[in-house]
Amino acid sequence: EGREKLSAAERSVLAYCLLVGLTLLGMIAGLTWTAVHRGLEPAHRLAATLDAIEVERLPARLEVGDLPAELRPVADKTDALIRRVDIALQRERRTSADIAHELRTPISELLTASEVALRNGRDPEGTRRTLGMVRNVAWRMARTVSTLLELARLETGARTFARASVDLGALVAEVLRSLRALERERGLQIENR
């Protein structure tokens, strides 16, 4: 007999094996994809939770539900990072509020002094005194900004704090000098003893 029957049977077995092999390979790929997708579901949930966080409203605690042991350290470290970011943002907001508060009075003084100087433009001596006061207020503002920036550096740990003696009498006298224009304008009398 010829080998045609045997070759046909061989081709049939090979085609069947190829079909079964491809089917098994497809099933393995599908099962692998499903297993990986389910295995990564906690990571996707963690990523979605992190993606939903808004800087203006940081959560008190990162809520992601049960996580596998492999992802728990990542979630804990991320939660700690969020706490540190929240503290830094609070410090920044406080610093901004402090700067605005500390500069409000000197800016008012500058505006008042410039208005007085503009009204009394014909009095060279008064204008000279007003400009001197404006210069003093500007110097105080510059020192205030430097002090606030230094405080911000101290809060972040970029600088260390050093104690020093302060002459409170000189400090009070300087503050009172800066209020002289306001004192005259409002008809007040401030005494320093």
Side-chain angles (χ1 to χ4, degrees), residues 41-116:
E41 190 273 328
H44 290 298
R45 193 173 67 238
L46 177 61
T49 302
L50 293 175
D51 194 37
I53 293 175
E54 295 178 14
V55 175
E56 294 80 24
R57 289 176 288 181
L58 292 174
R61 181 93 177 118
L62 191 60
E63 297 295 332
V64 290
D66 289 333
L67 289 176
E70 296 85 8
L71 286 179
R72 180 51 50 198
V74 173
D76 291 343
K77 294 293 182 183
T78 303
D79 195 46
L81 176 64
I82 290 171
R83 296 292 65 74
R84 290 194 308 270
V85 166
D86 189 35
I87 290 168
L89 286 173
Q90 287 176 12
R91 186 173 34 239
E92 181 181 323
R93 288 180 189 121
R94 226 179 17 253
T95 300
S96 297
D98 288 347
I99 288 172
H101 177 74
E102 290 296 325
L103 292 179
R104 184 176 296 146
T105 301
I107 289 172
S108 295
E109 289 177 40
L110 287 175
L111 289 171
T112 301
S114 62
E115 287 173 9
V116 167

